[in-house]
Amino acid sequence: MTISYHWLSKYLPEIIEPTALSKILTSIGLEVESLTYYEKIKGSLAGVVIGEVIDCQPHPNADKLKLTLVNIGTTTPLKVVCGAANIAMGQKVVVATIGATIYPTTGDPLTMKLAKIRGEESQGMICAEDELGMGFSHDGILVLPQNSVPGTPAADYFKPYSDWIFEIGLTPNRMDAMSHMGVARDICAYLSHHQKECSIKSPFNNLFKVDNTAHPIKVSVENTVDCPRYAGLTISGVTVGPSPDWLVNQLIAIGVRSINNIVDITNFILHETGQPLHAFDLAAIKGQEIIVKNLPADSLFTTLDDKERKLYAEDLMICNATDGMCIAGVFGGINSGINTHTKAIFLESACFNATSIRKTSMRHGLRTDAATRFEKGIDISNTVQVLKRAAMLIKELAGGEISSEITDIYPNPKPRATVSIKNHYLKKLSGKNYHADKVKRILTALGFNIVKEGLDELMVEVPYSKPDITIPADLVEEILRIDGLDNVAIPSMISISPAVENLGIKENLREKIAHFLVGKGFTEILTNSITNSKYYDEAESTSLVKMINNLSADLDAMRPSMLETGLETIAYNINRKQNNLQLFEFGKTYRTTETGFLEAEHFSLLTTGNLQEQGWRSKTIPHDFFGMKGLASAILQWCGLAKIKFEENLETPNTCTVYAERKAIATIVTVAAHKLKQFDIKQPVFQLNIPFEPLLQAVAQKKIVYCEVNKFPLVQRDLALVVNKSTPFAAIEKAVQQLNIKKLQQVHLFDVFESDKLGADKKSMAVNFTFSDDAKTLTDTEIDGMMNKLIQCFEQEINAEIRK
């Protein structure tokens, strides 16, 4: 929020220095982020004086230069070499003396020095308008009226505007401080509490009166929910033109461009009171009627920036008898705005629903000053009073007559909210004892009305300008602010009772998996859930959740999978020569369904590059699909799940589904080449994707059972099975599971061998079997019996031969 010091001071009972005012503002919660000195003419014409040309002769060494003597009110006139074509004796001019720095409208600053120009001494510079930073004209030097007095400082003659500008960091709830009067009200409350009772100097008066009723406008509000109050009046005979200097200066100082006197007044009132206004050209109001309503969806409307926009059914519009004229509270239309031909206006002052204005503003990307006020809430009680203030200013600066009664449609007057606060609650939250009289004085100064006063309780009516005040804690905040946040004493000792909260099963599971993976050398990443829709093909795009008001063309959709944002991280690291990566992430994915939106939590692992680099004792071991299967099995076992198996997806190569406890838990993929190409990744990438909810359910259903460590030895046997090359190890595991040998604890593949000696399209798979019995030591006869069952099963089920 930008606040002008001079503007603000108009409403204060006394003049306060800018630095002192800055401290007060910060103390009451209106944090001053910066205090800067503003100059309309940079340098404020320091060292520049009014002079009179008392002699003007041709330069002996240059045809286009003149030698002049300039009287600047000193005993000795200045010798100045001038190249302006319009220089002449007897002129009153503006002279930059030696040592003065001028700031041209365009170009770098220039400091005057004693100089020789073509052999002749020059003791300053006779300036043109653009050289002083006062305009853009460079047709010649600036010639002043003859009654100008030589020696007068240019700053005293032109009186360039300067100011101090506060940049205040407002919190979103402080709509009451989004105006100069709102800030002044807080300052006066502070002064009343700390010094003596005072109030703001109000600009409102009782001079308003209707001149005639020659131009009445019929107003009707069809949507009273989104427009609870609408007021307006007609002013005829206005003259649209430039604004006076005082108005232009105040607006430009806070960064508002001057347009014309009518529009400038509406902007002035906005920043003075916080109430947005809108002026319509009366000639554009067809049928002499204004209707506040919603137009059908997809209606076309051209706004002031000459852009045709397609309206939504929820957009509130200000319409005449036939057409829309303005997007209510957001932006005006091109056909109803004020221009130089305007002779009569309809001035609107209204209150619109904050939520409706916010949504309309965001949908159309129109972040106007009016919209930012309406979306935070405005003072609904001030609507007509501000309208009268603006009307009188327009009469003063643009002429004309008030040609209608004030129309004020307010069908459901809003009651003032009441909030109660107890003394002990105030002490508990603030940490300070406040006398009841101080509390009443602070709240009264802020505009609260005392409704009821008890021994330990105070009930107040909340002013309409503070819609954020709804609970007792809000009142405590107001009291603390005005008393001064710096005045809260810091105790020498603080006693706290630390809360001990057990994590839920979800958080415990996440922590468990994360610790396990970090121990394995993985790094956790956190990627943006907003991604680029271009990553997905047409089939995938049908379920994308597209963003309506995306801030970037590259971030326009919510991610439907964890893969693409993970690949962005991999690409970023590979481009910086970090090729060996093990990453994991917990995140959410988003999709559209027939019934709405689907948001799901996922756990994703990504590996690429080498698991182990080559060393003097070891060879390079790259990450691969089988390594990811091993990781999946280890993670699920770490989570307490059993009966883990892998099922290859025949329709999608290099993809498999992971099962645990007979339920599909995860998928493993080798990322497709076309997907890697999108990210310019030239090395294989493998992903394990675990939807977190199914994993959580499986872990929750699993009962933890204690078993005594087996006292009896394990027995291991190996078999070398010659099978077809296309036979996967999963087929061996499936055959073993069908036998349901209870004493078989583990099946492990430890070698794969291929040779022409084995036969065409054959390979040898060396499998280790581990047996155990909880009750006794197994005998060779028992083990041989179980091994024979296995051999027969392999021969029958997978056509295996036992290699000896």
Side-chain angles (χ1 to χ4, degrees):
M1 180 67 194
T2 305
I3 295 293
S4 157
Y5 169 72
H6 289 322
W7 193 345
L8 177 64
S9 296
K10 291 180 179 180
Y11 312 114
L12 298 180
E14 60 186 61
I15 298 299
I16 305 173
E17 290 299 314
T19 51
L21 199 55
S22 177
K23 291 180 180 179
I24 291 174
L25 289 171
T26 300
S27 174
I28 60 178
L30 301 178
E31 182 183 0
V32 176
E33 296 178 340
S34 68
L35 174 61
T36 56
Y37 187 64
Y38 165 81
E39 296 171 300
K40 186 177 181 180
I41 300 175
K42 195 168 182 182
S44 296
L45 302 177
V48 182
V49 297
I50 307 302
E52 180 183 7
V53 181
I54 57 177
D55 189 31
C56 181
Q57 303 295 330
H59 193 294
N61 303 319
D63 295 337
K64 295 184 179 181
L65 298 178
K66 301 286 179 63
L67 297 179
T68 67
L69 286 177
V70 184
N71 172 24
I72 60 167
T74 57
T75 55
T76 305
L78 298 183
K79 296 178 182 179
V80 180
V81 177
C82 180
N86 66 331
I87 185 73
M89 191 168 65
Q91 290 175 336
K92 300 295 177 63
V93 294
V94 183
V95 183
T97 59
I98 292 174
T101 300
I102 58 174
Y103 298 83
T105 304
T106 57
D108 297 327
L110 181 62
T111 300
M112 297 298 106
K113 297 178 181 178
L114 182 65
K116 277 197 174 184
I117 302 176
R118 292 290 183 94
E120 295 293 334
E121 190 177 82
S122 183
Q123 298 173 324
M125 178 178 176
I126 301 174
C127 301
E129 179 182 284
D130 66 330
E131 291 167 337
L132 295 169
M134 297 174 62
F136 293 91
S137 174
H138 195 70
D139 295 336
I141 59 169
L142 188 61
V143 180
L144 303 180
Q146 282 299 311
N147 60 359
S148 305
V149 180
T152 303
D156 293 343
Y157 183 87
F158 291 104
K159 293 181 170 52
Y161 183 77
S162 61
D163 202 347
W164 287 94
I165 303 300
F166 300 94
E167 285 294 339
I168 297 176
L170 283 183
T171 52
N173 63 314
R174 291 302 310 278
M175 58 74 55
D176 59 303
M178 293 186 72
S179 66
H180 285 76
M181 285 184 65
V183 174
R185 188 178 293 111
D186 268 11
I187 294 171
C188 288
Y190 176 89
L191 296 176
S192 296
H193 176 63
H194 291 276
Q195 298 178 15
K196 61 180 180 180
E197 190 170 341
C198 61
S199 59
I200 68 170
K201 294 180 180 178
S202 176
F204 302 114
N205 53 49
N206 297 320
L207 301 178
F208 176 86
K209 68 182 182 68
V210 177
D211 297 307
N212 59 67
T213 57
H215 298 283
I217 294 293
K218 180 184 177 183
V219 179
S220 59
V221 179
E222 294 184 3
N223 185 347
T224 56
V225 174
D226 289 343
C227 179
R229 189 172 191 179
Y230 190 94
L233 55 78
T234 302
I235 306 175
S236 61
V238 297
T239 301
V240 178
S243 296
D245 287 344
W246 70 266
L247 180 53
V248 173
N249 289 337
Q250 289 191 347
L251 291 177
I252 291 177
I254 61 170
V256 178
R257 181 172 60 94
S258 175
I259 298 172
N260 58 55
N261 48 6
I262 303 294
V263 176
D264 287 355
I265 288 169
T266 62
N267 286 331
F268 175 82
I269 294 295
L270 167 70
H271 289 277
E272 179 183 60
T273 67
Q275 169 70 52
L277 302 175
H278 192 78
F280 297 94
D281 189 331
L282 192 63
I285 304 177
K286 298 176 183 178
Q288 302 298 294
E289 182 179 11
I290 282 181
I291 308 169
V292 184
K293 64 180 181 179
N294 298 81
L295 293 178
D298 298 330
S299 297
L300 298 178
F301 179 69
T302 305
T303 47
L304 274 172
D305 55 1
D306 205 20
K307 289 184 180 179
E308 189 175 68
R309 302 177 188 272
K310 189 177 289 186
L311 299 176
Y312 294 78
E314 296 81 9
D315 294 336
L316 188 67
M317 297 292 294
I318 310 298
C319 307
N320 56 35
T322 59
D323 307 307
M325 296 191 299
C326 173
I327 302 177
V330 179
F331 209 38
I334 195 167
N335 296 320
S336 62
I338 305 301
N339 55 65
T340 54
H341 303 293
T342 299
K343 298 301 178 186
I345 66 169
F346 179 82
L347 188 61
E348 165 197 285
S349 178
C351 179
F352 299 113
N353 181 276
T355 304
S356 172
I357 296 300
R358 169 74 178 180
K359 289 181 177 179
T360 295
S361 172
M362 296 302 293
R363 277 195 293 262
H364 294 287
L366 293 169
R367 306 297 297 142
T368 60
D369 282 344
T372 55
R373 265 72 176 182
F374 281 125
E375 70 185 25
K376 297 183 188 305
I378 64 166
D379 184 349
I380 196 171
S381 68
N382 218 23
T383 305
V384 172
Q385 185 168 296
V386 170
L387 181 65
K388 293 178 180 179
R389 160 82 167 148
M392 296 305 292
L393 268 178
I394 290 172
K395 283 187 64 177
E396 178 185 340
L397 302 184
E401 298 178 330
I402 298 173
S403 300
S404 74
E405 297 288 349
I406 292 177
T407 299
D408 183 18
I409 299 177
Y410 193 14
N412 303 303
K414 182 181 177 181
R416 290 181 68 164
T418 58
V419 181
S420 298
I421 185 170
K422 294 181 180 293
N423 293 338
H424 71 275
Y425 182 78
L426 173 59
K427 181 182 177 182
K428 178 182 176 182
L429 259 64
S430 67
K432 188 174 180 179
N433 272 319
Y434 285 97
H435 193 278
D437 290 340
K438 284 188 176 181
V439 172
K440 288 189 292 182
R441 187 162 59 248
I442 290 173
L443 294 178
T444 302
L446 288 171
F448 292 86
N449 289 336
I450 308 298
V451 176
K452 181 181 177 182
E453 185 178 357
L455 291 176
D456 187 44
E457 185 177 18
L458 186 68
M459 180 183 289
V460 295
E461 278 186 340
V462 180
Y464 290 106
S465 60
K466 293 181 175 291
D468 62 304
I469 307 295
T470 57
I471 58 177
D474 296 330
L475 291 180
V476 176
E477 180 186 358
E478 294 294 287
I479 295 165
L480 273 173
R481 282 195 314 105
I482 302 305
D483 183 47
L485 299 173
D486 294 337
N487 293 330
V488 177
I490 300 175
S492 58
M493 182 178 67
I494 299 176
S495 301
I496 61 171
S497 299
V500 179
E501 182 180 354
N502 293 325
L503 295 175
I505 183 172
K506 180 191 290 187
E507 289 74 18
N508 277 326
L509 186 60
R510 285 181 57 161
E511 286 293 306
K512 187 174 184 178
I513 295 172
H515 283 302
F516 174 77
L517 290 172
V518 169
K520 288 282 188 180
F522 276 74
T523 300
E524 185 172 8
I525 61 173
L526 180 63
T527 60
N528 195 346
S529 57
I530 306 173
T531 187
N532 194 336
S533 61
K534 294 179 181 178
Y535 293 154
Y536 308 97
D537 57 31
E538 189 174 344
E540 293 173 308
S541 295
T542 56
S543 62
L544 273 182
V545 179
K546 290 287 190 70
M547 298 187 67
I548 296 175
N549 294 304
N550 52 296
L551 300 178
S552 166
D554 295 332
L555 297 172
D556 62 344
M558 306 298 290
R559 64 182 175 196
S561 76
M562 303 285 289
L563 177 61
E564 287 73 19
T565 52
L567 290 177
E568 287 180 334
T569 302
I570 288 177
Y572 181 88
N573 282 274
I574 289 176
N575 290 338
R576 287 154 181 79
K577 306 301 181 184
Q578 301 296 318
N579 298 327
N580 305 324
L581 300 168
Q582 299 182 116
L583 309 173
F584 73 95
E585 178 180 14
F586 295 94
K588 292 183 178 181
T589 62
Y590 309 84
R591 290 183 180 273
T592 56
T593 64
E594 294 179 356
T595 56
F597 297 103
L598 178 64
E599 179 181 315
E601 290 189 74
H602 284 256
F603 165 56
S604 173
L605 268 77
L606 290 165
T607 59
T608 187
N610 295 326
L611 173 62
Q612 178 179 293
E613 293 286 9
Q614 183 175 356
W616 68 276
R617 296 183 60 187
S618 59
K619 295 181 180 180
T620 298
I621 302 176
H623 285 290
D624 58 17
F625 188 81
F626 301 102
M628 189 61 86
K629 289 175 69 175
L631 267 172
S633 179
I635 290 170
L636 296 178
Q637 289 177 4
W638 185 252
C639 293
L641 302 181
K643 299 177 183 177
I644 299 165
K645 70 172 186 174
F646 302 89
E647 187 175 289
E648 304 289 337
N649 191 330
L650 301 178
E651 296 181 359
T652 308
N654 298 318
T655 304
C656 80
T657 303
V658 186
Y659 290 83
E661 306 294 343
R662 298 187 176 87
K663 295 179 181 178
I665 295 292
T667 55
I668 300 173
V669 298
T670 301
V671 180
H674 75 274
K675 183 65 73 174
L676 295 178
K677 189 176 180 180
Q678 286 183 319
F679 299 88
D680 197 27
I681 298 174
K682 297 179 175 62
Q683 61 190 53
V685 178
F686 307 94
Q687 184 200 29
L688 168 64
N689 178 52
I690 304 178
F692 207 67
E693 191 59 34
L695 175 64
L696 191 63
Q697 291 177 1
V699 171
Q701 293 171 2
K702 186 73 175 178
K703 292 184 178 180
I704 299 175
V705 179
Y706 169 75
C707 294
E708 186 180 357
V709 177
N710 194 350
K711 300 176 182 178
F712 301 97
L714 302 176
V715 180
Q716 296 184 341
R717 292 285 189 272
D718 296 337
L719 277 182
L721 306 175
V722 179
V723 296
N724 292 328
K725 281 187 177 181
S726 60
T727 302
F729 178 64
I732 296 175
E733 288 184 309
K734 185 176 181 181
V736 171
Q737 289 171 359
Q738 289 175 350
L739 290 175
N740 195 24
I741 300 174
K742 294 183 179 180
K743 294 178 182 179
L744 177 59
Q745 301 296 316
Q746 187 176 6
V747 181
H748 173 59
L749 175 68
F750 65 89
D751 188 39
V752 177
F753 173 70
E754 295 183 8
S755 173
D756 294 338
K757 296 178 181 180
L758 297 175
D761 295 326
K762 295 289 185 179
K763 65 180 177 181
S764 173
M765 302 177 74
V767 184
N768 174 267
F769 301 90
T770 302
F771 300 92
S772 175
D773 191 332
D774 295 338
K776 60 185 178 65
T777 301
L778 291 172
T779 64
D780 287 340
T781 303
E782 290 173 316
I783 296 168
D784 290 342
M786 290 184 284
M787 289 298 297
N788 288 332
K789 284 184 181 181
L790 290 168
I791 292 170
Q792 291 175 11
C793 176
F794 295 147
E795 290 174 342
Q796 293 172 5
E797 296 294 331
I798 60 175
N799 297 319
E801 298 178 12
I802 307 303
R803 185 176 171 219
K804 299 180 181 178

